[in-house]
Amino acid sequence: MTIPIRLTLNGKLHDIDLDDPRITLLDLLRERLGLTGAKKGCDRGQCGACTVLVDGRRINSCVQLAVSLDGAEVLTIEGLSEGDALHPVQAAFIAHDGFQCGFCTPGQIMSAVGLIREGKAGTDPERIREGMSGNICRCGAYAGILEAVKDASGRMEHREDAA
């Protein structure tokens, strides 16, 4: 028995038959759909390496059952840029060295995009630290991440759609 779900994934509609109702969104993305940007870090929703946006909200995809997302819009790191043009948060992470090993970077970027879209980032360092606290960087690139989020937040405030 399969369970059909429909997702809009990175702007494209996907009809998916789930063989197991217990599959998480992260496993669906990585194992079935080949989207490996979101990482499996802790597999408990504590590190943020698997962060994606679902209906515009940041979630830890490792603890979200895919079956519960029928009809949802999912945005992953793979769908963030527009062709060769990087999203402002991606560009800011590069400009401010907001990564070292890169393992947590997709989750950090998606969390930052969500934080900015939610209007909770601004340029206050403490506010950004609090908003990004669900994302762990084992390399300790927090200074670069903070500067990247501040920079992107400032730039995106001036953009009409803040996409």
Side-chain angles (χ1 to χ4, degrees):
M1 180 174 151
T2 61
I3 302 166
I5 65 168
R6 177 175 277 186
L7 296 176
T8 301
L9 180 59
N10 297 329
K12 295 180 183 171
L13 194 60
H14 291 266
D15 288 312
I16 303 164
D17 289 326
L18 299 176
D19 298 332
D20 184 348
R22 299 168 297 174
I23 189 170
T24 64
L25 176 59
L26 178 62
D27 288 337
L28 176 67
L29 293 172
R30 292 183 60 80
E31 296 171 14
R32 290 263 319 266
L33 301 174
L35 298 172
T36 57
K39 302 296 188 263
K40 187 176 277 199
C42 66
D43 210 21
R44 293 188 174 120
Q46 296 175 339
C47 73
C50 65
T51 303
V52 298
L53 301 181
V54 173
D55 295 330
R57 293 181 44 237
R58 300 176 282 166
I59 68 155
N60 293 322
S61 62
C62 71
V63 294
Q64 182 70 52
L65 293 177
V67 72
S68 70
L69 298 174
D70 187 29
E73 184 173 330
V74 179
L75 180 64
T76 69
I77 192 75
E78 291 90 349
L80 198 55
S81 63
E82 294 181 23
D84 291 337
L86 293 177
H87 185 278
V89 174
Q90 291 172 309
F93 265 69
I94 292 170
H96 294 282
D97 294 323
F99 53 91
Q100 286 183 31
C101 80
F103 187 82
C104 74
T105 306
Q108 296 276 1
I109 288 172
M110 294 308 295
S111 188
V113 169
L115 184 69
I116 293 167
R117 286 183 178 177
E118 292 162 13
K120 297 179 181 175
T123 56
D124 175 46
E126 288 306 313
R127 191 171 169 184
I128 294 170
R129 281 187 195 99
E130 181 179 339
M132 295 290 292
S133 66
N135 292 79
I136 296 170
C137 174
R138 290 179 177 96
C139 297
Y142 293 113
I145 292 168
L146 175 64
E147 290 305 314
V149 177
K150 279 175 38 181
D151 181 24
S153 182
R155 291 175 189 261
M156 290 174 66
E157 281 180 359
H158 302 301
R159 289 179 52 183
E160 195 170 308
D161 61 350

